Amino acid sequence: MPAEHAAWTRLLKTYVKAGSDGLTRVDYAGLAASQADRAALDAYIAGFADRDMSAKTDGNFAAWANLYNAVTVRHIVERYPVKSIKDGYLTGPWKEVKVQAGGREVSLDAIEHKILRKTWGTPEVHYSINCASYSCPNLPAKAWEAASLNKDLDAAARVYINHNRGVTVTAKGLKVSEIYNWFEADFGDSKEAVIQHLLSYAEPDLAAKIRANPKIVGYQYDWSLNDAAKLRKPVKP
């Protein structure tokens, strides 16, 4: 039996490029140039219009996260070339970009905050959605599926936290992603709880460094487009 989100996985495998620096980037130019694959993306997104996604299930978590990522990719492709998803917006497009899903119109902002965060309320939400930016958790090269959701979310969190986008160790303490500042409440509602969250996914070497000086001294975020056309160097401390 084919995976439920096989159509999205095919597009991801075609256009998501893994870099040697631990980041995945998207070949937006390639997708923009393919009329057939743009039509396939539109068809995949349209399939959510009347789908019942109201229940709190792994299948619906996967569906909402995949939809968010697919709509974000389409938004970039429609405006490409851009340097950042925020180009042309005062704060960003998330409240303005809307899609029919679950029998109603929802924005990207609503999918993230009113559906995924409100319904599931777990830190792993933040590793499931991609904002088309360098500092965002990776867009995976395969769709989220209910059967492997927990394993794949665990892997996504581990990859992000052990990359310097998630945690950078400095002589004074830790510089961490702004995600842990903006959504501190989702990670236990204190800096100490954020540290414990990071430790739960940190590899032994990083965990030892965190424990040696478990103090958050700053936050970092790079909104540059995760564009395969422009390989970027990792963010420096």
Side-chain angles (χ1 to χ4, degrees):
M1 183 177 179
E4 183 178 5
H5 299 281
W8 180 225
T9 288
R10 183 189 71 78
L11 291 170
L12 290 169
K13 285 185 175 180
T14 302
Y15 295 104
V16 173
K17 310 298 180 182
S20 59
D21 57 1
L23 272 74
T24 63
R25 297 175 175 81
V26 182
D27 180 9
Y28 294 109
L31 180 53
S34 174
Q35 184 175 354
D37 282 344
R38 290 186 68 173
L41 178 59
D42 287 341
Y44 173 71
I45 292 171
F48 291 90
D50 297 315
R51 172 175 173 162
D52 182 1
M53 297 187 286
S54 58
K56 185 180 178 181
T57 65
D58 285 353
N60 284 336
F61 182 107
W64 283 115
N66 286 329
L67 177 61
Y68 182 102
N69 291 338
V71 171
T72 298
V73 167
R74 182 170 70 177
H75 176 69
I76 297 298
V77 168
E78 288 173 346
R79 302 180 68 236
Y80 192 82
V82 291
K83 294 181 179 179
S84 167
I85 190 172
K86 299 176 77 172
D87 284 2
Y89 297 93
L90 188 62
T91 58
W94 297 283
K95 290 184 178 181
E96 296 183 34
V97 177
K98 299 177 181 179
V99 64
Q100 288 294 130
R104 65 190 193 278
E105 185 180 69
V106 293
S107 65
L108 287 175
D109 184 84
I111 293 174
E112 179 178 5
H113 303 296
K114 296 181 180 179
I115 298 171
L116 284 169
R117 291 182 64 217
K118 183 177 180 180
T119 302
W120 280 271
T122 63
E124 288 71 31
V125 165
H126 299 287
Y127 305 110
S128 71
I129 54 177
N130 180 270
C131 62
S133 303
Y134 176 90
S135 287
C136 199
N138 281 341
L139 180 65
K142 65 175 184 176
W144 303 111
E145 296 281 358
S148 60
L149 183 64
N150 292 331
K151 179 187 71 174
D152 291 341
L153 286 174
D154 183 88
R158 199 169 300 280
V159 166
Y160 188 67
I161 286 169
N162 287 282
H163 190 275
N164 63 4
R165 290 168 301 157
V167 182
T168 298
V169 178
T170 76
K172 295 181 179 179
L174 307 173
K175 285 187 177 180
V176 301
S177 170
E178 283 279 8
I179 288 173
Y180 305 115
N181 181 29
W182 297 326
F183 305 110
E184 186 178 277
D186 295 358
F187 295 93
D189 211 15
S190 70
K191 289 181 174 58
E192 292 75 20
V194 168
I195 293 292
Q196 290 305 309
H197 173 80
L198 300 177
L199 284 169
S200 68
Y201 290 102
E203 298 296 339
D205 182 59
L206 176 60
K209 292 176 180 177
I210 292 174
R211 290 191 179 99
N213 191 6
K215 180 181 179 182
I216 296 174
V217 296
Y219 298 94
Q220 57 192 9
Y221 211 83
D222 184 343
W223 284 103
S224 301
L225 191 69
N226 60 342
D227 190 350
K230 290 186 177 181
L231 292 176
R232 294 179 48 82
K233 296 180 180 180
V235 174
K236 295 182 178 180

